[in-house]
Amino acid sequence: VAVLALATRASAQVIPTTGAPPGQRTAMIVGQVVDATTGAPISEAIVRLTMPKYLDDPTTPKGRVMADGEGRFFFSDLHPGEYFLQATKDGYAPGTYGQRCAERQSPLLSLSLAEGERLTDVTLKVWKHGVIAGTVVDEAGEPVVGVAVRALVKNVVAGRPRYGNLQSFAEPIATTDDRGMFRLSQLMPGTYVVLVPSTQTTLPAAFLSGNALLALQVA
């Protein structure tokens, strides 16, 4: 099978067009879903194909297939045009065509398909989620119950490290149980700082003195 080169370009904005896509439905896409870290094939991943420019037309090629035991998939009878491909799998972060890192890039890359073209080397990468688990204790070594624990991912912006997600979604958060234990799951690959946010409260000295005196009297 001849391996054809893929032509890609960034799509800054996709404007839907009325009507059906032009050209004959003679093209095909064949590819494989793999683990981005190990390169191992991901079986039973769900691969979705869309043609954003013609989303409103009922004849527009679109579909969802399940990868086989070797992570392979294919779509046939496709119009020429620009396509988006995405792979999803439980326990993994979704991967789109052309994505190179776990944090999704913007804009997404589209796959350009000519009439009658058969692309046979499309690769979709997905990233396995990680887990951070541990225990929060106080200065006496006793478990701290019911406190929030956050994980901030390390990013390098303009050569300087920054902590926290650059995307719009919130940082992973968990609450300690009655043993002070926590578990942060579905984490993207990366370097994290785990912290317990604290709040300082300022009270008048007279109020504190009064409460201290009351405590002594009660004791």
Side-chain angles (χ1 to χ4, degrees):
V1 178
V3 178
L4 303 179
L6 298 182
T8 63
R9 62 173 176 268
S11 297
Q13 183 179 12
V14 177
I15 302 176
T17 301
T18 58
Q24 299 296 317
R25 300 184 63 160
T26 55
M28 175 184 291
I29 296 174
V30 180
Q32 186 179 32
V33 183
V34 301
D35 186 299
T37 303
T38 66
I42 304 298
S43 62
E44 299 183 348
I46 302 300
V47 182
R48 294 177 174 84
L49 173 142
T50 59
M51 199 175 191
K53 190 175 181 180
Y54 300 96
L55 279 179
D56 297 333
D57 187 85
T59 64
T60 299
K62 62 178 68 71
R64 185 179 69 170
V65 299
M66 178 180 289
D68 64 14
E70 295 297 322
R72 300 189 181 280
F73 65 91
F74 77 93
F75 293 94
S76 59
D77 301 327
L78 300 178
H79 285 290
E82 304 292 323
Y83 289 88
F84 285 165
L85 286 171
Q86 182 188 58
T88 58
K89 169 80 173 181
D90 288 343
Y92 290 80
T96 59
Y97 173 74
Q99 188 173 341
R100 297 183 178 180
C101 59
E103 292 291 339
R104 183 176 298 174
Q105 60 192 23
S106 180
L108 299 177
L109 292 180
S110 62
L111 185 154
S112 181
L113 194 62
E115 186 170 342
E117 190 172 10
R118 285 165 170 75
L119 300 179
T120 61
D121 61 349
V122 176
T123 299
L124 296 179
K125 297 179 180 180
V126 291
W127 284 260
K128 191 173 182 60
H129 285 141
V131 174
I132 298 176
T135 305
V136 179
V137 298
D138 60 18
E139 63 275 9
E142 296 295 324
V144 181
V145 179
V147 298
V149 181
R150 294 181 182 272
L152 303 182
V153 66
K154 179 181 178 181
N155 298 286
V156 178
V157 180
R160 296 184 178 182
R162 292 181 58 183
Y163 293 91
N165 291 317
L166 298 179
Q167 306 293 335
S168 59
F169 50 84
E171 291 86 4
I173 185 170
T175 303
T176 57
D177 61 15
D178 57 353
R179 298 168 295 173
M181 301 181 67
F182 67 90
R183 187 175 187 273
L184 295 160
S185 60
Q186 295 189 336
L187 299 177
M188 303 288 272
T191 302
Y192 287 84
V193 170
V194 179
L195 57 89
V196 178
S198 62
T199 304
Q200 294 182 346
T201 303
T202 302
L203 296 173
F207 176 82
L208 294 176
S209 299
N211 278 273
L213 179 61
L214 178 60
L216 291 174
Q217 291 174 345
V218 173

